[in-house]
Amino acid sequence: MPLMTTKPMFDLAYDGGFAIGAFNVNNMEITQGIISACAAEKSPLILQISKGARKYANMRFLRHIISAAVEENPELPIAIHLDHGDTVDLVKACLSDGFTSVMIDGSHEPFEGNIKLTAEVVKVAHQAGVVVEAELGILGGIEEHVVGVKAEDVEKFLTDPEQAQDFWKRTKVDSLAIAIGTSHGAYKFKHEAKLAMGRIEQIMKTCPGLPLVMHGSSSVPQEFIDLINKYGGSMPNAKGVPEEQIYAAVTKYGVCKVNIDTDLRLALTAKIREVFATKPSEFDPRNYLGPGREAIVSMVRRKLQALNSVGKAEAVVKQWKKLGEPMPAYYKK
Ligand code: G3H
Ligand code: 13P
Ligand code: ZN
């Protein structure tokens, strides 16, 4: 039952030219789709849960869905992670819910405030054997900031490599989400998709050994946007990060964790819209949620190729055994 922290994963990903896919879960179909894809590709994975997901699904339900996924796939290395935690209390709740990894997002705070919040979370999480991801810099498309902002100011929104080093030393955080031009959602770029790859390189230099994380990494596949727009939706100008750029960030620049939520939402929505439009008499949820789940499986399998994590599960389990991490109290609930 390799339910683990992200440490064994990042130990191998850091120098291994691959990244761990971190996928947001909100219900059974999404979880099943992700797990089936990772099992088929033998990829390690992170299932991440936001505050909103906890509220929507009720953590007790999500916990049992995830437990079932872990039981069904005893050979698959899985970490359970809090996405964008905002308070110490939320982190504590996740620790007692058996999460193996938490994110505290203090990126909206001034630098010193972010350090204080993150250091406090690191202290409580590490006592529980749980690892911590933090965020530094402002997430948002590069172009968004260019509009009305002097060219020399654009850099201000990206993660500063020297600050990252200071932040890491003072918080002892285990991984860091960096701002390099990605943003959340389906509208990431107004013009050409562009990431500040050089910035990853600089942060790798000032913070050697610190696993870096890319949020806002959905590619917003055109096939889903086309289906959505064809069948009654309206998502003009939706644009994501091309998968080649993800592949480069991972294999060339060393990013260790890549966050995906929007692409899961798009896959499910596109298929449900298609069924509703082409089969107007359909009212059995299994007949529209099922195709949605299948679309998630195919999308995630393709994503795992872009992350170069295909076939890496076994090596991660070996590393986990080598580290001798204790199993979290996940099954005791
Ligand atoms: O980065 C945010 C994730 O996509 C989670 O979104 O807060 O709507 O669950 P959510
Ligand atoms: P996307 O909106 O690009 O899927 O990003 C998700 C994310 O960063 C979750 O933390
Ligand atoms: Zn995010």
Side-chain angles (χ1 to χ4, degrees):
M1 296 283 181
L3 193 57
M4 59 184 66
T5 73
T6 51
K7 180 158 175 36
M9 301 178 176
F10 294 162
D11 277 358
L12 300 191
Y14 190 84
D15 287 322
F18 70 98
I20 314 298
F23 300 97
N24 286 73
V25 295
N26 284 280
N27 70 4
M28 184 186 78
E29 282 79 7
I30 294 173
T31 312
Q32 289 175 332
I34 297 163
I35 287 279
S36 297
C38 292
E41 299 296 348
K42 298 186 172 29
S43 282
L45 78 148
I46 298 166
L47 290 175
Q48 53 187 16
I49 297 163
S50 69
K51 186 177 171 178
R54 285 175 65 94
K55 191 166 170 219
Y56 169 77
N58 177 339
M59 198 50 226
R60 196 181 289 256
F61 283 82
L62 278 185
R63 188 167 58 228
H64 285 284
I65 290 170
I66 292 170
S67 289
V70 172
E71 274 174 39
E72 287 266 310
N73 297 279
E75 74 300 334
L76 212 54
I78 303 174
I80 311 295
H81 174 77
L82 168 66
D83 190 29
H84 292 283
D86 56 354
T87 62
V88 176
D89 282 347
L90 175 58
V91 166
K92 284 182 179 164
C94 291
L95 297 181
S96 61
D97 284 334
F99 284 47
T100 60
S101 171
V102 291
M103 175 192 192
I104 183 73
D105 180 0
S107 61
H108 50 282
E109 299 277 347
F111 185 60
E112 290 299 327
N114 192 356
I115 288 190
K116 188 167 176 284
L117 178 64
T118 303
E120 195 180 342
V121 165
V122 168
K123 204 170 150 208
V124 293
H126 282 184
Q127 273 166 4
V130 166
V131 291
V132 181
E133 172 186 325
E135 181 167 322
L136 187 64
I138 309 270
L139 230 63
I142 291 175
E143 294 164 15
E144 253 169 68
H145 304 311
V146 172
V147 179
V149 175
K150 283 189 244 142
E152 61 267 30
D153 287 344
V154 170
E155 301 271 303
K156 279 189 199 157
F157 296 97
L158 304 180
T159 305
D160 180 89
E162 302 300 329
Q163 267 198 348
Q165 186 185 58
D166 191 22
F167 186 88
W168 179 32
K169 283 193 177 149
R170 289 168 65 192
T171 60
K172 312 239 176 333
V173 77
D174 302 286
S175 61
L176 186 66
I178 54 170
I180 52 159
T182 62
S183 59
H184 293 112
Y187 304 91
K188 300 185 193 298
F189 304 97
K190 289 193 183 74
H191 303 289
E192 197 196 345
K194 184 177 158 212
L195 300 186
M197 297 289 189
R199 194 50 72 110
I200 308 176
E201 213 165 16
Q202 290 167 355
I203 301 168
M204 291 288 279
K205 280 203 181 108
T206 57
C207 303
L210 176 64
L212 301 183
V213 179
M214 267 172 71
H215 280 242
S217 300
S218 280
S219 56
V220 188
Q222 195 56 43
E223 64 189 271
F224 298 145
I225 298 300
D226 288 346
L227 279 179
I228 288 170
N229 288 335
K230 181 172 174 190
Y231 293 120
S234 176
M235 297 191 69
N237 308 317
K239 194 181 268 192
V241 184
E243 279 174 359
E244 312 81 71
Q245 293 199 31
I246 300 286
Y247 185 78
V250 168
T251 58
K252 188 162 170 219
Y253 296 95
V255 165
C256 285
K257 172 175 179 266
V258 172
N259 283 17
I260 308 290
D261 188 2
T262 294
D263 286 355
L264 298 162
R265 297 176 181 195
L266 291 173
L268 197 53
T269 302
K271 283 295 162 181
I272 290 174
R273 278 197 177 279
E274 184 179 37
V275 174
F276 282 178
T278 57
K279 299 176 183 163
S281 60
E282 184 57 72
F283 68 99
D284 182 342
R286 294 170 295 190
N287 293 336
Y288 51 84
L289 293 175
R293 181 174 58 189
E294 281 313 304
I296 287 176
V297 176
S298 321
M299 183 279 288
V300 173
R301 289 188 74 162
R302 205 172 54 228
K303 197 71 67 185
L304 299 172
Q305 309 274 347
L307 302 180
N308 202 27
S309 71
V310 172
K312 302 294 197 300
E314 202 182 328
V316 169
V317 172
K318 266 193 195 144
Q319 179 66 7
W320 172 66
K321 286 186 179 155
K322 195 171 140 195
L323 294 177
E325 267 187 3
M327 205 43 199
Y330 206 69
Y331 287 94
K332 291 186 189 146
K333 297 272 169 183

